[in-house]
Amino acid sequence: MPMPARPKHFLPHAGSARRKTLCYTRGSCSGPGRRPKRKGVLGEVAGSGNVAASEMLAGILEEEGEIRTAADVIERAAAVHESQRLLVRLGELFQRAGEPDRSRVAWERAVALAPGDLVLRKRLAAASAHAGDWEAAVGHLRVIAERGSPAERFAAWGEISLRFEEAGKVDDAIAAQEALLALMGPDHWQLDSARRRSSISIKRIIP
């Protein structure tokens, strides 16, 4: 009678990858002078698409200042196992490596997997504004203005107004200022102060 096929997670190469990763995590590959061995073990396992090994190896490379190489490791892992965590990490590494455009691309892929992640939206809004892409910045800020806490919505509308102002979109900038004021309600203790700031902003837009 033929033996039943073993499931994939019991195949020798899969077990070998797990054993090699455990070699690192349990310390049997760690210790003085063993970093090259650890990197070699993790590199071999990461090459097969193992996420844990990839993240560990990227961490070692980052500690050694090899930021771009660390990004390459995470990029390969994300190509096999696309996840928000890996893509956020990839964006951070690209940013540290001085590649803001690639960082934005990674974060855009991450936010597509988790559209409600407002922390990531804030990062993307700032990165887009820094790149001069005010439309992308406003797009992310609008999501925050719709879904965020009262304080986040207030800050988002103020930022939206500023981005429209920079782009010369006068009507849109004023509409954002009005949305900001509407959040405060007629009896808010800071309403008069906010109105004065809004008036100053509008005069700056329309001399």
Side-chain angles (χ1 to χ4, degrees):
M1 180 175 179
M3 293 291 289
R6 288 184 294 180
K8 279 188 177 180
H9 60 278
F10 285 121
L11 291 177
H13 73 273
S16 176
R18 283 200 303 276
R19 285 194 298 274
K20 287 175 180 177
T21 304
L22 286 172
C23 168
Y24 174 79
T25 58
R26 291 178 178 172
S28 55
C29 292
S30 60
R34 293 191 178 180
R35 177 163 290 215
K37 181 181 179 181
R38 283 157 41 192
K39 287 171 67 176
V41 168
L42 290 173
E44 182 181 344
V45 181
S48 67
N50 184 284
V51 173
S54 298
E55 291 179 316
M56 292 176 194
L57 179 58
I60 292 174
L61 291 167
E62 187 177 18
E63 287 175 5
E64 295 177 345
E66 297 181 46
I67 308 300
R68 191 61 183 76
T69 307
D72 289 340
V73 170
I74 296 298
E75 187 171 32
R76 285 194 294 271
V80 178
H81 303 284
E82 187 173 68
S83 72
Q84 186 199 18
R85 186 181 79 248
L86 284 176
L87 291 169
V88 169
R89 179 81 167 111
L90 180 60
E92 292 169 347
L93 288 169
F94 276 139
Q95 191 173 56
R96 288 198 60 197
E99 299 186 48
D101 290 342
R102 298 192 72 179
S103 175
R104 280 181 63 200
V105 169
W107 285 343
E108 290 286 1
R109 288 171 62 194
V111 87
L113 297 175
D117 188 334
L118 301 187
V119 173
L120 188 52
R121 294 275 184 185
K122 289 175 187 176
R123 281 188 177 186
L124 275 164
S128 299
H130 183 74
D133 188 347
W134 67 268
E135 289 181 319
V138 167
H140 292 297
L141 289 166
R142 282 192 183 279
V143 176
I144 298 169
E146 292 169 2
R147 304 184 186 182
S149 67
E152 287 173 326
R153 293 200 300 270
F154 188 88
W157 279 118
E159 188 77 8
I160 288 169
S161 178
L162 176 61
R163 297 305 161 209
F164 277 133
E165 179 184 338
E166 291 173 346
K169 302 286 186 178
V170 175
D171 292 341
D172 290 326
I174 293 172
Q177 286 285 340
E178 291 172 348
L180 184 153
L181 293 173
L183 287 175
M184 304 187 77
D187 300 320
H188 196 283
W189 66 282
Q190 285 188 320
L191 182 60
D192 288 341
S193 174
R195 280 175 173 162
R196 285 194 295 273
R197 289 197 302 272
S198 178
S199 177
I200 291 169
S201 296
I202 291 170
K203 285 179 182 176
R204 191 166 61 242
I205 299 169
I206 309 175

